Amino acid sequence: MFEREMGDCSSTLWYLLVVFLLVSYASAEDPYRFYTWNITYGDIYPLGVKQQGILINGQFPGPQVESVTNDNLIISVFNSLDEPFLISWNGVQQRRNSWQDGVYGTNCPIPPGKNFTYVLQVKDQIGSYFYFPSLGMHKAAGGFGGIKIASRSVIPVPFDPPAADFTILAGDWFTKNHSDLRAILDGGTDLPFPDGLLINGRGSNGYTFTVDQGKTYRFRISNVGLTTSLNFRIQGHKMLLVEVEGTHTLQNSYDSLDIHLGQTYSVLVTADQPGQDYYIVVSTRFTSQVLTATSIFHYSNSAGSVSGPPPGGPTTQIDWSLEQARSLRRNLTASGPRPNPQGSYHYGLINTTLSVRLQNSAPIINGKQRYAVNSVSFIPADTPLKLADYFKISGVFSLGSIPYNPTGSGAYLQTSVMAADFRGYTEIVFENPEDSVQSWHIDGHNLFVVGMDGGQWSPASRLSYNLEDTISRCTVQVYPQSWTAVYTPLDNVGMWNVRSENWGRQYLGQQFYLRVYSSANSLRDEYPIPTNALLCGRAVGRRSL
């Protein structure tokens, strides 16, 4: 039945795709890569307990997306679940194309038994990212996978090609299924402590990475969990950091790395130790109970298996993590996705046009636990905000429904949208007065992490900003009782999700949308609505303007 339905729609789908691609993409020389994914439920046993997982083509985690800078990705997603489904692309900027972002504020969910074809371009990007299911608590059931964007062959990379390239998707995991976790949140309480950690969908020692002695390997490590920061380390081996979410870094060496929710790091590891097996370890950070999971770093000439306890790592030390975060630096002489050096963009010499302070909080509203930004706890509208904006449907959202600064007032529920002008240059200060680490992500944009410190941010804090060689990334942490400041070029028109990567907090309101607007209404600024766009809510029956 599935095959017949897929065949029935294929001719129409291909016709629409060809027309859309010819109209939308002038650069015909950029290659196309085609993926067809079937989303199903399936039995998984990641912690030894049978659970209902979300599989992609029968896989958990899902298949890796392999691409090269400027590739066009055609990903046809068939939803064989019994509930709506969406996939979002953590870190893929969707240049001029928030229509493909895959969050409810921009896209209607794919109904059960239906399909939607994402048409993405990894325009002017390199590096390591991941995709995940964005609706409800689907992320707690799987449906995630890695994204690799390689540099074009004509662009030099600041290190020799590794012998192999490995992806590690690590994160906390619950033995309760996603619907039970959602019911807990809907009932007005926070998620419980996780039951364990996974590495590539498996518990301890469930995965082996085989290496040859003397060779160097690249590991792309993502924290795809729901609630906790992680520390990553490889027993007896140094890690040379080379890339963070699309930025080539100064190649500093680390014994272990803190990787916060939603973040991705890329390291080189040389198999320069005696030929045996070693632990790869992830463990939770800033938790009273420390969870640990291991995989095996296996030398092909190994004379012995792992033995003894895995090497310990940092646990609750915030200052240690803060200093490590400050050590991340941009490689100014390396080329990025284009041949010009990364240092040719002088981010620190640009005058900001807007300053925004965002403060998280954990209020009780109507007797239930909620989470808020500047006192506003986000509630989804009945229509995706991007569609409401495009079709000029009134009453779905209001610009200015979230203030630019903390108010100190009581929290309230609102479909919050912040207005911003295209080509503005924004300073955003994330303020965290709580006792837990926060992790923030902005779709469609890169963030130059210019400063972070403990205490209260003030204008005088700008004197400590790094305006020379900070990294840019899409997800940034904010330590307890601390602040983090970023500079963001608003160079991407669209409706963009700004969210906590702690998924319980995101679900209960710690998010909003940033509307980056251009009055020119030009195809040079934003692509038209896709011909295959799904319509729902008050957008049903509308036609493209």
Side-chain angles (χ1 to χ4, degrees):
M1 180 65 181
F2 172 77
E3 293 178 353
R4 187 175 74 250
E5 289 178 351
M6 186 168 63
D8 292 343
C9 72
S10 62
S11 60
T12 301
L13 175 60
W14 281 112
Y15 172 77
L16 292 174
L17 279 176
V18 169
V19 172
F20 177 82
L21 293 170
L22 287 175
V23 171
S24 298
Y25 296 106
S27 53
E29 71 276 8
D30 294 328
Y32 293 87
R33 296 175 185 259
F34 296 88
Y35 296 85
T36 299
W37 289 353
N38 184 27
I39 312 301
T40 61
Y41 291 125
D43 291 339
I44 58 175
Y45 301 81
L47 292 177
V49 178
K50 180 180 177 180
Q51 295 179 253
Q52 183 188 67
I54 292 178
L55 313 180
I56 301 179
N57 294 348
Q59 300 177 41
F60 167 69
Q64 173 108 338
V65 174
E66 302 272 355
S67 62
V68 177
T69 301
N70 293 345
D71 278 359
N72 299 292
L73 306 178
I74 315 301
I75 305 177
S76 189
V77 178
F78 289 81
N79 179 14
S80 298
L81 306 181
D82 58 1
E83 56 185 323
F85 185 77
L86 270 178
I87 288 181
S88 191
W89 320 89
N90 208 71
V92 176
Q93 291 184 10
Q94 315 289 359
R95 304 299 303 174
R96 299 187 288 164
N97 202 16
S98 68
W99 300 107
Q100 307 293 336
D101 201 29
V103 291
Y104 180 68
T106 58
N107 296 107
C108 295
I110 307 169
K114 302 296 182 180
N115 81 290
F116 177 76
T117 298
Y118 291 90
V119 180
L120 320 175
Q121 187 182 27
V122 288
K123 179 67 175 172
D124 290 335
Q125 287 192 265
I126 59 170
S128 313
Y129 310 94
F130 64 92
Y131 61 85
F132 68 98
S134 62
L135 283 185
M137 293 298 292
H138 281 164
K139 190 179 181 185
F144 48 77
I147 301 173
K148 180 173 72 175
I149 309 175
S151 296
R152 290 176 289 164
S153 59
V154 296
I155 307 297
V157 174
F159 49 88
D160 293 333
D165 194 314
F166 299 118
T167 292
I168 289 184
L169 304 171
D172 51 25
W173 191 258
F174 295 83
T175 54
K176 292 182 181 293
N177 65 36
H178 71 91
S179 56
D180 290 338
L181 294 176
R182 181 172 179 171
I184 290 171
L185 295 171
D186 289 340
T189 57
D190 199 359
L191 294 175
F193 191 72
D195 296 294
L197 300 181
L198 302 184
I199 299 175
N200 289 355
R202 302 177 186 178
S204 282
N205 297 344
Y207 210 94
T208 297
F209 299 88
T210 300
V211 300
D212 293 333
Q213 195 161 35
K215 294 183 178 180
T216 297
Y217 298 83
R218 183 171 183 171
F219 284 81
R220 303 171 189 260
I221 314 144
S222 296
N223 184 341
V224 297
L226 299 177
T227 65
T228 52
S229 299
L230 300 176
N231 182 266
F232 179 89
R233 52 202 181 270
I234 300 178
Q235 183 181 28
H237 293 75
K238 298 285 188 179
M239 298 181 292
L240 194 69
L241 185 67
V242 294
E243 177 250 332
V244 175
E245 294 163 20
T247 298
H248 288 307
T249 64
L250 288 184
Q251 295 178 12
N252 295 327
S253 181
Y254 297 90
D255 293 317
S256 70
L257 280 169
D258 277 354
I259 305 177
H260 304 277
L261 289 165
Q263 293 185 340
T264 301
Y265 288 77
S266 189
V267 300
L268 297 179
V269 180
T270 299
D272 56 3
Q273 298 300 306
Q276 61 182 60
D277 289 358
Y278 298 86
Y279 284 112
I280 296 174
V281 187
V282 292
S283 57
T284 56
R285 288 286 269 126
F286 319 117
T287 57
S288 56
Q289 176 187 348
V290 177
L291 300 176
T292 300
T294 56
S295 288
I296 305 301
F297 191 76
H298 169 70
Y299 279 63
S300 58
N301 63 340
S302 175
S305 60
V306 292
S307 61
T315 54
T316 60
Q317 304 93 324
I318 292 173
D319 288 346
W320 183 95
S321 188
L322 176 61
E323 287 306 309
Q324 182 179 90
R326 287 171 171 165
S327 73
L328 306 181
R329 290 289 188 266
R330 189 181 189 87
N331 187 334
L332 297 180
T333 61
S335 296
R338 295 188 179 189
N340 49 302
Q342 290 184 148
S344 63
Y345 182 79
H346 300 291
Y347 71 92
L349 300 180
I350 303 172
N351 292 327
T352 56
T353 58
L354 177 66
S355 184
V356 177
R357 292 166 51 212
L358 301 175
Q359 187 177 100
N360 49 271
S361 59
I364 302 297
I365 302 177
N366 299 327
K368 293 185 175 182
Q369 179 67 67
R370 297 287 302 185
Y371 295 97
V373 188
N374 288 358
S375 300
V376 186
S377 185
F378 182 86
I379 51 173
D382 60 7
T383 305
L385 310 180
K386 182 63 180 173
L387 291 177
D389 199 27
Y390 177 78
F391 289 118
K392 296 180 171 54
I393 304 172
S394 63
V396 176
F397 71 90
S398 299
L399 291 175
S401 44
I402 178 172
Y404 289 116
N405 295 287
T407 64
S409 61
Y412 56 95
L413 304 174
Q414 181 70 264
T415 303
S416 39
V417 179
M418 182 177 289
D421 293 329
F422 181 45
R423 295 189 177 134
Y425 195 68
T426 303
E427 174 193 47
I428 301 175
V429 180
F430 297 99
E431 300 179 354
N432 178 19
E434 299 184 66
D435 292 329
S436 57
V437 175
Q438 304 295 310
S439 189
W440 286 94
H441 177 91
I442 300 183
D443 284 350
H445 295 81
N446 263 10
L447 315 174
F448 290 89
V449 186
V450 294
M452 56 176 62
D453 206 349
Q456 179 67 44
W457 181 88
S458 73
S461 302
R462 295 185 177 119
L463 298 175
S464 67
Y465 284 2
N466 175 1
L467 301 181
E468 299 292 334
D469 65 347
T470 193
I471 57 168
S472 63
R473 62 189 316 169
C474 59
T475 307
V476 67
Q477 73 273 23
V478 193
Y479 293 101
Q481 307 289 330
S482 300
W483 57 267
T484 295
V486 301
Y487 281 175
T488 306
L490 299 178
D491 56 358
N492 203 7
V493 171
M495 187 76 71
W496 302 107
N497 190 222
V498 181
R499 63 175 177 267
S500 170
E501 288 284 12
N502 181 309
W503 216 243
R505 296 181 76 108
Q506 179 272 157
Y507 181 82
L508 292 180
Q510 194 169 309
Q511 62 170 309
F512 65 93
Y513 281 80
L514 183 70
R515 179 186 184 251
V516 180
Y517 177 72
S518 170
S519 60
N521 194 27
S522 168
L523 295 180
R524 291 176 300 178
D525 297 340
E526 185 176 28
Y527 291 142
I529 186 172
T531 55
N532 67 332
L534 300 174
L535 301 180
C536 57
R538 285 184 257 176
V540 170
R542 307 269 179 158
R543 293 172 178 259
S544 298
L545 299 178

